[in-house]
Amino acid sequence: MGFELEKKIGLEAVTKAARACAGISGEPRFREALYKTDGSPVTLADFFVQALINEELSAAFPEIPIVAEETSFCLEGSCGKKLRENLEELLPEKSPDEILCAINRGNHKGGGHGRFWTLDPIDGTRGLLAKRQYAIALALIEEGEVVLGILGCPELGPDTSNGAGGEKGFIFFAEKGRGSYQFGLWGNTRTRISVSGVEKVSDSIMCESVEAPDSSYEFSGKIAHSLNISAKSVRMDSQCKYAVLARGDTSIYLRPQPRKDYKENIWDHAAGYIIVKEAGGTVTDSSGKFLDFSVGKKLLENKGILATNGVIHEAVLQAVRKTVFQ
Ligand code: AMP
Ligand code: MG
């Protein structure tokens, strides 16, 4: 069975949110952040996109729950007052209570049964704050398996590996068994995408986070060295890393587990995971294990992430296994 309606509504919601963000993210109020209890920033854009997309999804699919990153917690009390007022101005057709209610619709716990959406309204909030890359990431999970993924990347250019210019803004999507596609944020010509055909691992281009601990850079440096990779790594925020791998700009995305107790969030990977898989790539954790999206909000059974064009996956895995990470 396909997911035509889910894909249509999901694409409309992500495109609407990505266009809105592209139009307003330069405003100073989008650069004001509050900090969550884990120290990560959250902005007007995170709440605006979560309210908007949750609302569209629940109107079309009231029975499908949503696991989304944000809650209204930071908006409560005096420190959230300014953000609340800005949100009310951006969503004038909603009452203050309706806005909070829309945000809190993303409170599902995930798991291996039934269907649910998972949403990261702004993946790479630090990237948005620094005027780098960020993504709006939406995926549908059914019986623990990712079946649909959509990434809205308002700041992404047409080819990241050579830094060429061109109009910014792309949407990527993939449905299980039906391939991966991209289209320009301001157009609608859909192009099928596929991973790079690089066969020699030494010819590959690696991609990694911008905001990673020094130990992660040391580790990826050692891997690149052991594989004789001479190209400079592309550093990029958010699931845009999966998008550029899926369309062949890069061929490796390595994300070491930053600390023993750190577990990745499902919304930070689900959409990118299926977009790379359907473009012909391979995605596992950094030990080669399949990613298990069926165990709740986090990838509790996995450590780190390795995504490649598939052909070179085993070679990179071997290098990762041999290299000590500290
Ligand atoms: P990226 O832009 O790929 O570096 O990933 C940013 C995402 O990683 C954020 O949205 C967080 O959910 C998640 N994250 C937060 N803290 C950490 C951490 N210490 N190590 C790895 N990922 C983190
Ligand atoms: Mg986020």
Side-chain angles (χ1 to χ4, degrees):
M1 200 186 78
F3 300 92
E4 276 312 310
L5 190 59
E6 292 82 353
K7 185 167 69 185
K8 178 176 176 290
I9 302 288
L11 277 172
E12 282 169 4
V14 171
T15 306
K16 187 171 166 185
R19 284 183 178 170
C21 283
I24 53 188
S25 62
E27 293 178 23
R29 60 182 169 166
F30 277 90
R31 313 248 159 266
E32 290 165 15
L34 290 178
Y35 287 84
K36 296 191 270 189
T37 45
D38 66 355
S40 65
V42 63
T43 65
L44 178 58
D46 298 69
F47 293 115
F48 167 62
V49 173
Q50 182 157 320
L52 195 133
I53 294 186
N54 277 3
E55 189 64 20
E56 308 253 324
L57 295 179
S58 333
F61 308 103
E63 74 292 357
I64 306 184
I66 306 168
V67 180
E69 177 170 9
E70 312 303 342
T71 70
S72 68
F73 179 71
C74 279
L75 293 171
E76 289 156 19
S78 55
C79 64
K81 186 166 178 278
K82 206 160 147 212
L83 253 174
R84 247 179 4 248
E85 287 168 358
N86 280 326
L87 250 185
E88 287 159 20
E89 205 183 301
L90 282 174
L91 297 161
E93 70 288 1
K94 302 232 161 308
S95 71
D97 272 356
E98 283 171 336
I99 295 175
L100 298 186
C101 187
I103 290 168
N104 290 331
R105 241 173 244 142
N107 64 359
H108 186 61
K109 302 258 178 287
H113 301 293
R115 281 178 163 198
F116 60 88
W117 296 101
T118 185
L119 171 69
D120 192 341
I122 300 290
D123 176 29
T125 305
R126 289 177 204 273
L128 176 123
L129 286 169
K131 301 192 177 174
R132 299 187 306 246
Q133 295 300 329
Y134 65 95
I136 295 162
L138 177 68
L140 181 66
I141 297 184
E142 186 176 66
E143 304 300 321
E145 190 187 1
V146 186
V147 291
L148 176 67
I150 304 171
L151 285 176
C153 309
E155 291 297 318
L156 193 66
D159 183 350
T160 342
S161 57
N162 67 16
E167 197 171 26
K168 283 189 305 185
F170 284 90
I171 304 279
F172 298 81
F173 67 94
E175 183 186 341
K176 188 186 164 196
R178 299 203 173 172
S180 289
Y181 294 82
Q182 76 169 6
F183 58 93
L185 184 55
W186 308 100
N188 49 23
T189 309
R190 297 175 175 190
T191 316
R192 189 155 184 177
I193 53 170
S194 56
V195 291
S196 119
V198 161
E199 289 182 3
K200 266 174 73 185
V201 69
S202 56
D203 293 338
S204 61
I205 301 176
M206 199 185 269
C207 194
E208 60 188 343
S209 287
V210 180
E211 304 269 353
D214 289 344
S215 53
S216 292
Y217 292 144
E218 254 168 61
F219 184 71
S220 58
K222 285 186 207 165
I223 303 289
H225 182 73
S226 75
L227 294 170
N228 289 316
I229 297 172
S230 53
K232 195 170 179 289
S233 292
V234 174
R235 287 188 180 169
M236 188 179 278
D237 305 276
S238 81
Q239 285 173 74
C240 287
K241 290 188 279 299
Y242 283 107
V244 298
L245 173 64
R247 71 179 180 188
D249 298 2
T250 62
S251 33
I252 301 172
Y253 167 20
L254 179 61
R255 186 181 185 91
Q257 187 184 32
R259 315 182 294 272
K260 275 221 164 69
D261 61 342
Y262 187 80
K263 293 293 175 187
E264 300 284 346
N265 302 307
I266 57 170
W267 54 77
D268 281 330
H269 299 284
Y273 163 87
I274 188 167
I275 288 167
V276 166
K277 296 246 307 187
E278 286 295 325
T282 300
V283 188
T284 63
D285 75 1
S286 50
S287 70
K289 198 172 165 197
F290 80 98
L291 298 189
D292 189 349
F293 289 94
S294 76
V295 287
K297 291 185 175 188
K298 291 189 181 275
L299 297 172
L300 294 175
E301 302 297 328
N302 297 109
K303 295 174 182 173
I305 304 285
L306 175 65
T308 70
N309 69 345
V311 185
I312 59 174
H313 202 80
E314 198 46 47
V316 184
L317 261 183
Q318 276 184 27
V320 170
R321 286 186 189 123
K322 273 194 247 160
T323 309
V324 181
F325 178 65
Q326 26 215 357

